[in-house]
Amino acid sequence: MNPIVRGLSVSMLVAASAACVETAPQPDAAAGAPPQDQAVLGEIAAAINAGQLHSTIQTLVGFGTRHTLSETQSDSRGIGAARRWAQSRFAAISQDCGGCVSIVTPSQSVTGARIPTPTEVMDVVAIQKGVSDPNRVIILTAHIDSRVTDVMNATADAPGADDNGSGVALVLEAARVLSRYKFPATIVYGVLSGEEQGLYGGKVLAQYAQDQGWRVETDLNDDIVGSARGQSGAGDNSRIRLFSESTRETETPKETRQRRLEGGELDGPSRSVARSIKRLAERWIPNWRVDLIYRVDRFGRGSDHEAFNALGYPAVCFRESAEDYRHQHQDVRIENGVSYGDTIDHVDFDYLARVTATNAIAAAALAWAPPPPDGLKVSGAVTPDTTLSWQALAGPQAADLAGYRVYWRDTKESAWSHSRWVGAVAEAKLPDVVIDDWAFGVASVSKDGFESPVEYPGPLGAFWRPVEVEVSK
Ligand SMILES: [Zn+2]
């Protein structure tokens, strides 16, 4: 859309919006809303290349082991060689896009239950800086380290094709494709270490994000996403599981009390991101389902997204649809005719390509969309109407803003069922919608129709909480 047409449509929207909130729900088209379809997302999904994913995993497996405690000096074996290779891939991607990606390697010296002597845990991180709102950051992460049956064995071959060569291949391929585009927000691609020894690489990057003062809108973490055949033999290559926390780990006791009274158990910002991803991916990837799992992760298991959740950042984790535990965390061997070990022959590259496309279009759509609004509130107790109000986005955050869309749904439902475009306003009244009976949310919408995640009102749903002043030690 050219700037003149955009200018016209925005003024029409502002005029239309005041009237719109007074009328019954109506199709967006009638209210002059931005387009709801962004064909560029289909273009991104189609650009993901299964051959590239195969070649990355083959190379990673070729390093023998990528155990966090393995050697770092060799150029052909161990975690050091693997990290340097990932860095060289990011460098090549940057060269192809005229230097659009910069590389940092945040690290910490770590000791712990699974790291007996101080060991450097280093992440390899590529940063594609946003053009107008660079401090807002969407992060893609996957751990590169691998293991066998004995988690302390740093020398045996640990191919880690699926856990987590698949995630690393996904992050590199997303970077290759998304680096061809420019986004208002920053996209960060993180290849992490130390996951199998205690989720250390996630902590290193989450801490780095906090130290940089990044406004982290979300971390999309991928860990074991390359195979869809479970141990029972059943498999479904048309679905991916997406795990998300229900409410923030850093929720305060006061917020917990309010949630107990008013609800919102299903509406933390991580969940809101997960719902956005489901909507986008199922629209643009044929025969594909994103199954939201209302849990932080599988039972007794975890990954690097938890380090982001621990600091209060929205973060979600993708997991393949069905797992075969004989191919994870196992010495490579044949036992009673059964093959054990995480070898490349179990990876389904067409499936992994769809998971990669899911991540790539989600990161792109979130980075193209404006941020969710700040200071969102809902009111209307003891009245027949509900009113949502928020701080209108301003400055660089509003560069591409067209306005806002209000959502509501039955409190028992998972997905938003009702919505209304309300235009470039900071308050919207829903006449005859009683606050007690519905869950509410608001999304910011760009002129091209890219939508932020739907934010739930109050501190429970806020993507960015007011900065709390830390008492100096
Ligand atoms: Zn893993």
Side-chain angles (χ1 to χ4, degrees):
M1 198 186 282
N2 70 45
I4 295 169
V5 176
R6 272 184 174 169
L8 276 175
S9 62
V10 170
S11 54
M12 284 160 63
L13 290 178
V14 174
S17 60
C20 166
V21 292
E22 301 299 328
T23 56
Q26 54 188 296
D28 277 340
Q36 286 188 297
D37 246 6
Q38 293 74 38
V40 66
L41 297 177
E43 188 183 286
I44 287 169
I48 300 298
N49 184 318
Q52 293 277 344
L53 298 165
H54 185 275
S55 148
T56 294
I57 295 181
Q58 202 160 39
T59 304
L60 291 173
V61 168
F63 292 113
T65 176
R66 307 186 304 278
H67 193 282
T68 299
L69 306 179
S70 64
E71 68 163 295
T72 56
Q73 299 305 310
S74 164
D75 281 334
S76 58
R77 188 175 179 86
I79 184 79
R83 283 192 304 236
R84 288 190 294 278
W85 178 80
Q87 185 163 348
S88 76
R89 286 300 306 138
F90 281 139
I93 288 166
S94 189
Q95 194 161 24
D96 286 348
C97 65
C100 76
V101 166
S102 58
I103 301 166
V104 294
T105 54
S107 74
Q108 286 177 20
S109 179
V110 170
T111 45
R114 292 177 170 186
I115 304 188
T117 56
T119 301
E120 189 177 33
V121 170
M122 180 190 287
D123 295 338
V124 179
V125 181
I127 302 171
Q128 185 178 350
K129 196 172 172 190
V131 293
S132 58
D133 187 13
N135 205 38
R136 180 166 61 97
V137 176
I138 318 295
I139 305 177
L140 291 167
T141 51
H143 75 84
I144 193 171
D145 58 302
S146 63
R147 62 169 284 189
V148 289
T149 306
D150 174 5
V151 71
M152 302 306 290
N153 185 341
T155 54
D157 275 352
D162 195 11
D163 184 11
N164 185 31
S166 63
V168 173
L170 176 156
V171 168
L172 290 171
E173 179 63 357
R176 186 184 72 82
V177 171
L178 296 182
S179 60
R180 300 173 190 165
Y181 301 88
K182 295 206 179 309
F183 302 95
T186 293
I187 301 179
V188 168
Y189 309 92
V191 171
L192 313 180
S193 302
E195 196 269 351
E196 304 290 7
Q197 310 310 113
L199 314 184
Y200 291 107
K203 290 174 197 159
V204 168
L205 183 55
Q207 186 61 51
Y208 182 83
Q210 194 174 57
D211 293 345
Q212 301 295 311
W214 286 348
R215 279 163 57 88
V216 177
E217 184 164 329
T218 190
D219 165 50
L220 311 180
N221 186 49
D222 285 83
D223 192 356
I224 312 183
V225 289
S227 172
R229 183 162 297 282
Q231 189 159 339
S232 70
D236 185 349
N237 65 3
S238 69
R239 69 185 275 263
I240 181 77
R241 292 180 296 166
L242 179 54
F243 288 80
S244 60
E245 62 178 1
S246 289
T247 54
R248 257 202 190 81
E249 183 173 343
T250 54
E251 187 177 68
T252 66
K254 189 176 161 208
E255 289 160 7
T256 307
R257 269 198 308 281
Q258 187 174 353
R259 175 161 61 76
R260 199 189 142 265
L261 294 168
E262 297 173 359
E265 298 84 358
L266 307 180
D267 284 278
S270 299
R271 180 65 43 72
S272 167
V273 167
R275 287 193 181 103
S276 279
I277 294 169
K278 179 176 175 65
R279 182 177 60 82
L280 289 160
E282 292 180 1
R283 166 69 185 86
W284 290 108
I285 303 171
N287 189 27
W288 188 238
R289 203 168 83 234
V290 176
D291 279 342
L292 303 188
I293 312 271
Y294 284 14
R295 293 196 163 110
V296 173
D297 208 330
R298 301 101 86 226
F299 274 63
R301 306 188 71 182
S303 190
D304 293 301
H305 59 298
E306 292 177 58
F308 290 87
N309 285 159
L311 295 186
Y313 296 133
V316 298
C317 188
F318 289 91
R319 301 286 191 178
E320 62 196 20
S321 59
E323 296 172 70
D324 190 331
Y325 309 102
R326 297 168 300 191
H327 303 150
Q328 300 174 9
H329 302 186
Q330 292 280 350
D331 294 332
V332 180
R333 67 192 191 280
I334 307 265
E335 210 173 276
N336 300 325
V338 177
S339 85
Y340 290 83
D342 191 355
T343 49
I344 195 167
D345 50 312
H346 302 300
V347 177
D348 175 342
F349 292 95
D350 289 332
Y351 177 74
L352 177 56
R354 289 194 285 280
V355 186
T356 306
T358 299
N359 278 261
I361 66 176
L366 293 174
W368 266 317
D374 278 325
L376 176 60
K377 291 185 193 129
V378 64
S379 61
V382 212
T383 78
D385 312 320
T386 295
T387 300
L388 289 138
S389 61
W390 55 92
Q391 291 161 24
L393 294 172
Q397 296 184 345
D400 302 306
L401 180 80
Y404 304 88
R405 184 172 281 118
V406 170
Y407 285 83
W408 65 105
R409 67 174 203 268
D410 190 285
T411 59
K412 303 186 296 297
E413 286 177 359
S414 169
W416 298 106
S417 52
H418 299 60
S419 73
R420 188 180 299 172
W421 168 250
V422 297
V425 295
E427 184 176 295
K429 188 171 174 182
L430 299 170
D432 298 325
V433 178
V434 173
I435 188 172
D436 306 321
D437 300 349
W438 305 89
F440 299 91
V442 175
S444 311
V445 187
S446 77
K447 292 165 188 163
D448 292 330
F450 291 103
E451 286 199 31
S452 75
V454 180
E455 187 177 53
Y456 190 84
L460 196 152
F463 272 70
W464 296 284
R465 288 142 54 101
V467 178
E468 283 166 33
V469 181
E470 224 179 292
V471 180
S472 56
K473 295 170 188 121

